[in-house]
Every structure is written in C-alpha cells, then in structure tokens.
Amino acid sequence: MEPESPGTPESAVTSCYRHPKVESYVRCTRCDRFICPDCMHAASVGHQCPECVKEGVRSVRQARTAFGGRISTVPLVTYVLIGLNVLAYLGELVRPEIVDRFSMLGQGLVGPDGGRYLWQDSYPADFSAEGVAHGEWERLLTGAFLHLPPVGGGFGILHIVMNMLTLWNVGRIVESQLGRARYLALYLLSALGGSVLVLLLAPDTTTVGASGAIFGISTAYYVLARRLGADPRAVNRFMAGLLLWLVISAAVTSWQGHLGGLLTGGLVALAFAYAPRDRWRALVQAGVCVLVLGLLVVLVVGKVSALTG
C-alpha cells in the first residue's frame, strides 16, 4: 500500500444542517442533507429530517368519516356542550333571575315589581316589554342552555339530567359520525329551530331546555343510521320512541321547541347524509346549513314584524 501523498487534503468534516457544530454522517433519505441524532426521525427506509417529516404529513390525505368530517376519537364537542349546560344550571341556582332574563320568550311584560306578565297590546306606562320581539334576540339560543329550576318535586333536576343523559348517549355517536364542525352546526341549528317554532306558535310562552337541540341530534342519529345501513328494526324503534315522547311532551313540556328541533335537525342531517360524495360535498353541506339559517332568520324577522307592527 502506497503512502498518502503530502498534498492530499484531509477528508471534509460533515455537520448537521440544523446544528452546524454537531458532526453527522447520516443523510436524510428525502433531501439528502446531513442530520444529527436529535434531528433523525425513523422512516420506512433510513431516517428523515424534521422538515421532510412535516412535508410528508401535509401530503398525506386526512382520514374522513363517511359523511366528510374529520375523524376524532374524543367527543370533545359533546363534553363541552354538557359542561356549558351544567354551568348554566349552576348559575341558575346562584342567581335565579338568569332564567327570567335569558329564557326563550317571544314577547312579555315586566311589572314595576319585577313580576312577569303575559303580553297585551295596551299596558301601563310603568310596565316594560321584553322578549325577542323587543330586541332580545339572544334568547333564541340562550334559552337552549337553561333548564327548569329545582322546584316542583325536583322536576327541574330531572329535566337537565334526562337531557344530558340523552346528549351523552346519542351525541357521542353522532359526533363520531359527522365530525366536530358538522356536529356543532347541527346542534346549534336544531336549538335555534326549536326556539323559532316557539316564537311562531307560542310567542307568549316562556321556555327553557336543550330538548330542541337534542331532538335534532336524535333525528340525525336516525337519518345517519339509515344511510349507513343499520338494522332498520332497531333504528325504527328508536324513532318511534322519539315520536312518542314528542306526543307526550305536548302535555308536559314545550312540544313546539321539540318539533322545531326535530324538523331542523332532520333537514340538516339529510343534507349531511345524502350530499354527493365528491369534492363538492363540503360545499353542499355548508350551503344547506347557511340556507337553513337564512330561513330561520327570515321567519324570525317576519314574526317579529307581525308582533310589533
């Protein structure tokens, strides 16, 4: 073996492209840059640098549910909605006047003593008008997060307990099928639809409860299950029980709110379930939600105009 010539240069020292002071002899299999052990990410072949890993993640198509939503293992929206309802109920216990101020009401009167009275076209000067028809539009949604106070043998507690149990059992399934964004849109539109029907048919009635939204979620469960080919006998029994409770609710609760949530939730669920499965699916689904919202707003504006005209 011949000795190395004095003029031969020493071998170049290579370093990590992100940490120039760290020697490295391993290259990224995608960009061919040198990387140190702290920058190495195991790949199917060799190692990759952090930038190539991020680029690869962006190029991978996100998994979707059967109805176009992002797959999530934690029903976060359901947890948040239950938490909001429970927090609102605790607020009612501390300050009962919250129910009077934020419950769903089309129009009513407040006396000088703070008492609530049914609406009448002619009322004393020391009375004041309240309700959606008189500028309190927030009642259309806030009433859906309130429940009956714990009076009358504890029915108020049963009211929120039954609603939250239903939301826990049904909401988690629907959220996993639709994804978080679509599920939240369904819930809020159903709640709004229930309040709108109360405004249209019983504007003088004070209502509270998440039942309208839950009827919408339950109807969506039925529509999605049929679309996925679930056992028709099981889902039909579920829907029959839901309709039976709608009839019973006519005597004990606000059937208008229940029916409004059922119809609105069913319409939105049909759009989610039967939108074409192509690149336009998300646009079609969003468009239907916007149309439903627009229809509800038009109905509210028309009813308010009739009440105040």
Side-chain angles (χ1 to χ4, degrees), residues 104-107 118 132 140 192-207 246 250 253-261 263 299-300 302-304 306-307:
M104 173 54 204
L105 175 65
Q107 60 180 5
L118 292 177
V132 175
L140 291 167
L192 183 60
S195 296
V196 170
L197 196 60
V198 171
L199 176 66
L200 295 177
L201 302 182
D204 299 336
T205 303
T206 300
T207 62
L246 179 63
T253 59
S254 172
W255 64 268
Q256 297 93 342
H258 294 186
L259 180 60
L263 295 175
L299 291 174
V300 171
K303 184 63 176 180
V304 167
L307 293 174

Side-chain angles (χ1 to χ4, degrees), residues 31-280:
C31 66
D32 207 36
R33 291 180 292 188
F34 287 100
I35 50 178
C36 67
D38 291 337
C39 297
M40 293 179 187
H41 292 264
S44 56
V45 177
H47 296 81
Q48 294 182 6
C49 67
E51 293 181 10
C52 289
V53 170
K54 292 180 181 179
E55 183 66 27
V57 171
R58 283 196 294 267
S59 64
V60 175
R61 186 175 181 180
Q62 293 286 340
R64 296 281 177 173
T65 69
F67 306 106
R70 290 187 177 183
I71 295 177
S72 59
T73 57
V74 178
L76 179 62
V77 177
T78 298
Y79 293 158
V80 171
L81 291 172
I82 292 175
L84 290 175
N85 279 275
V86 173
L87 286 176
Y89 195 72
L90 294 176
E92 295 176 34
L93 299 180
V94 177
R95 302 190 64 179
E97 61 270 20
I98 289 177
V99 178
D100 291 330
R101 174 58 185 85
F102 293 103
S103 59
M104 173 54 204
L105 175 65
Q107 60 180 5
L109 294 173
V110 181
D113 57 351
R116 262 66 185 179
Y117 301 89
L118 292 177
W119 173 262
Q120 47 185 317
D121 294 332
S122 177
Y123 55 89
D126 55 353
F127 278 58
S128 60
E130 64 175 352
V132 175
H134 303 281
E136 297 175 347
W137 284 55
E138 67 277 2
R139 290 177 179 264
L140 291 167
L141 274 181
T142 56
F145 289 90
L146 302 175
H147 289 81
L148 294 174
V151 295
F155 182 74
I157 295 178
L158 288 178
H159 188 207
I160 186 172
V161 168
M162 292 175 62
N163 279 344
M164 294 304 101
L165 282 177
T166 305
L167 181 57
W168 169 262
N169 289 320
V170 180
R172 290 181 300 164
I173 299 175
V174 176
E175 182 177 354
S176 67
Q177 294 173 339
L178 291 180
R180 292 171 179 171
R182 290 167 175 79
Y183 173 69
L184 181 60
L186 170 69
Y187 186 95
L188 294 178
L189 286 173
S190 299
L192 183 60
S195 296
V196 170
L197 196 60
V198 171
L199 176 66
L200 295 177
L201 302 182
D204 299 336
T205 303
T206 300
T207 62
V208 292
S211 300
I214 291 174
F215 262 79
I217 295 295
S218 299
T219 306
Y221 170 81
Y222 171 79
V223 172
L224 300 180
R226 292 299 301 266
R227 184 72 173 99
L228 292 173
D231 183 1
R233 293 173 298 179
V235 294
N236 287 340
R237 285 195 298 268
F238 174 84
M239 194 62 186
L242 189 66
L243 295 176
L244 178 61
W245 175 239
L246 179 63
V247 174
I248 296 174
S249 67
V252 297
T253 59
S254 172
W255 64 268
Q256 297 93 342
H258 294 186
L259 180 60
L262 184 150
L263 295 175
T264 306
L267 180 60
V268 174
L270 286 172
F272 288 162
Y274 292 95
R277 296 191 176 189
D278 53 26
R279 60 176 181 171
W280 302 107

